[in-house]
């Protein structure tokens, strides 16, 4: 099937399925707890995560009572359990590092924790209930962060992420640098983040982390967890420019702008 890319935007659309019980006993009101005519103010978000049964949205645009658009770069809005579409900016929220001069780049979920990645800070919260007072800040890591929401990926060893200083592995609350052996090379790269570049992907079949540092890079860097070594991936067409996804057979896939298809980055047999 063909796939199509669009320009980077903070506009997002999400769908939510309400099951039909067949007996017509379940109604919109009974399933959502609100009347059908109730209207919630929409929000736009640039990153989101689900921890447990709650949704968390960050880097938010919303309209105030004067219908003016306001951006909250440090605020995370969260929902009640199982009500992923009810996100009200002024009701249930958590302000993260409001005075650190940073903005939230990516949210990530692992082990009942919410990982908040900023450009120069990382905040790790333990999520225990629907009340913000019970969101326990377990650790605040300064001087390191994430440059793009696609520069965060799950691996069997922890969460891998990247900024302009290093590629890192976050295990629970502890960070180690994966790019230590190629630090000078990595820090010398031009990271075109404004064009959607810098994305990480984990290839399960060959146990390798792939780092795409440019939207049209012909060379990518790969870290093999078995050998704990780096290598270059050469010979790409220069047309791969999307974030990575993992398909059913554990092949790493990306969007090819020359064929307009989602295709395997490379074959595991090579």
């Amino acid at each position: 099937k063909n796939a199509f890319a669009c320009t980077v935007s903070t506009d997002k659309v999400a769908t939510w399925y309400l099951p039909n019980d067949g007996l017509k006993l379940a109604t919109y009101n009974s399933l959502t707890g609100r009347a059908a005519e109730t209207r919630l103010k929409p929000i736009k978000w640039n990153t989101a995560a689900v921890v447990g049964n709650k949704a968390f949205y960050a880097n938010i645009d919303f309209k105030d009572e004067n219908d003016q658009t306001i951006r909250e770069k440090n605020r995370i809005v969260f929902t009640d359990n199982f009500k992923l579409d009810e996100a009200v900016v002024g009701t249930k929220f958590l302000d993260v590092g409001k005075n650190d001069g940073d903005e939230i780049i990516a949210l990530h979920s692992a082990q009942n924790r919410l990982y908040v990645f900023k450009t120069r800070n990382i905040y790790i919260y333990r999520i225990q209930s629907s009340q913000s007072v019970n969101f326990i800040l377990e650790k605040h890591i300064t001087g390191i962060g994430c440059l793009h929401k696609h520069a965060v990926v799950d691996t069997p060893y922890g969460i891998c992420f990247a900024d302009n200083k290093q590629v890192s592995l976050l295990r629970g609350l502890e960070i180690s640098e994966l790019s230590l052996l190629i630090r000078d090379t990595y820090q010398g790269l031009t990271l075109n983040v404004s064009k959607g570049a810098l994305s990480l992907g984990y290839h399960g079949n060959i146990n390798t982390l792939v780092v795409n540092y440019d939207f049209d890079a012909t060379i990518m860097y790969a870290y093999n967890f078995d050998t704990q070594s780096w290598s270059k991936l050469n010979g790409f067409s220069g047309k791969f420019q999307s974030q990575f996804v993992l398909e059913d057979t554990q092949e790493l896939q990306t969007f090819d702008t020359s064929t307009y298809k989602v295709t395997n980055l490379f074959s595991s047999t090579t």
Side-chain angles (χ1 to χ4, degrees):
K1 294 182 179 180
N2 286 351
F4 298 92
C6 61
T7 57
V8 177
S9 172
T10 56
D11 294 345
K12 300 291 182 294
V13 176
T15 58
W16 185 30
Y17 174 67
L18 297 178
N20 180 8
D21 62 1
L23 300 176
K24 298 183 179 181
L25 299 178
T27 65
Y28 181 83
N29 178 268
S30 66
L31 289 169
T32 65
R34 62 177 184 261
E37 62 271 13
T38 301
R39 295 293 181 266
L40 300 177
K41 284 188 175 182
I43 66 170
K44 300 176 182 179
W45 71 94
N46 202 33
T47 181
V50 174
V51 185
N53 299 310
K54 298 179 191 48
F56 294 81
Y57 304 96
N59 211 325
I60 300 166
D61 286 350
F62 69 98
K63 291 187 176 182
D64 62 9
E65 61 274 8
N66 297 318
D67 207 33
Q68 294 180 326
T69 300
I70 297 176
R71 168 159 290 188
E72 288 284 2
K73 296 182 178 181
N74 300 287
R75 177 163 294 185
I76 297 175
V77 177
F78 60 92
T79 69
D80 286 332
N81 289 338
F82 304 109
K83 295 185 178 181
L84 306 185
D85 65 334
E86 290 189 15
V88 182
V89 174
T91 302
K92 295 181 179 180
F93 62 89
L94 177 68
D95 287 330
V96 179
K98 198 165 186 177
N99 298 317
D100 61 10
D102 226 343
E103 71 174 301
I104 297 173
I105 300 297
L107 299 181
H108 203 77
S109 169
Q111 299 174 338
N112 210 37
R113 291 186 177 102
L114 178 67
Y115 294 84
V116 184
F117 292 91
K118 292 189 169 187
T119 52
R120 297 178 299 273
N121 292 270
I122 300 173
Y123 297 83
I124 305 174
Y125 286 88
R126 171 71 69 176
I127 307 301
Q128 292 187 330
S129 79
S130 61
Q131 301 302 317
S132 62
V133 294
N134 291 322
F135 295 169
I136 301 172
L137 179 61
E138 290 190 310
K139 193 165 188 177
H140 173 204
I141 304 168
T142 61
I144 190 171
C146 180
L147 286 188
H148 196 278
K149 63 183 177 182
H150 294 148
V152 183
V153 66
D154 277 320
T155 74
Y157 309 95
I159 303 170
C160 290
F161 63 96
D163 61 6
N164 53 11
K165 184 172 66 174
Q166 65 188 58
V167 180
S168 306
L169 175 65
L170 181 55
R171 300 180 182 179
L173 304 177
E174 302 301 323
I175 286 181
S176 58
E177 181 183 354
L178 296 180
S179 57
L180 180 61
L181 297 175
I182 59 166
R183 180 183 290 175
D184 291 343
T185 300
Y186 180 79
Q187 292 182 358
L189 296 174
T190 300
L191 305 178
N192 290 317
V193 180
S194 62
K195 294 185 178 181
L198 189 57
S199 59
L200 271 60
Y202 174 73
H203 197 308
N205 285 338
I206 56 176
N207 201 21
T208 295
L209 174 73
V210 178
V211 180
N212 184 8
Y213 62 90
D214 205 346
F215 68 97
D216 61 352
T218 56
I219 297 175
M220 300 180 190
Y221 288 86
Y223 178 82
N224 186 278
F225 285 97
D226 294 325
T227 61
Q228 298 183 356
S229 62
W230 286 90
S231 61
K232 288 183 179 180
L233 303 177
N234 297 303
F236 295 101
S237 64
K239 299 296 184 181
F240 300 97
Q241 62 177 19
S242 79
Q243 77 274 21
F244 297 113
V245 295
L246 201 62
E247 71 123 16
D248 294 341
T249 62
Q250 303 299 305
E251 287 287 351
L252 199 59
Q253 295 187 320
T254 187
F255 179 70
D256 187 341
T257 57
S258 62
T259 63
Y260 300 104
K261 293 181 182 295
V262 175
T263 184
N264 290 349
L265 188 62
F266 50 85
S267 173
S268 298
T269 58
T270 61

